[in-house]
Amino acid sequence: MSAEELCERHTWASVGVVARDGTVSRIWECENCPVWTAQPFEPDHERSWNDTWLAER
C-alpha cells in the first residue's frame, strides 16, 4: 500500500529530531496514517549553542 493509498491528504506534525550518518533531520509524521518523513536541517543555518541565550541558563 502506497502513502497515497493510506491517506487522502496528509496532515504533518513535527515529532522530533534525529541524527543519522552525521546529518540532523526533523521527523514529521502524518496525524492520520503511519507515513513519516525526515527533513534535513540546512547546515548553513546552524548556530553554535554558545551563541544562543539558552547557553546562559
Side-chain angles (χ1 to χ4, degrees), residues 10-37:
H10 297 295
T11 303
W12 298 106
S14 175
V15 296
V17 175
V18 66
R20 295 187 295 185
D21 300 323
T23 300
V24 179
S25 299
R26 179 176 309 282
I27 303 300
W28 294 89
E29 285 186 346
C30 177
E31 294 179 344
N32 303 316
C33 74
V35 171
W36 64 277
T37 190

Side-chain angles (χ1 to χ4, degrees), residues 31-50:
E31 294 179 344
N32 303 316
C33 74
V35 171
W36 64 277
T37 190
Q39 173 191 28
F41 281 107
E42 176 59 52
D44 293 338
H45 294 177
E46 181 177 5
R47 173 169 269 178
S48 168
W49 176 260
N50 291 331

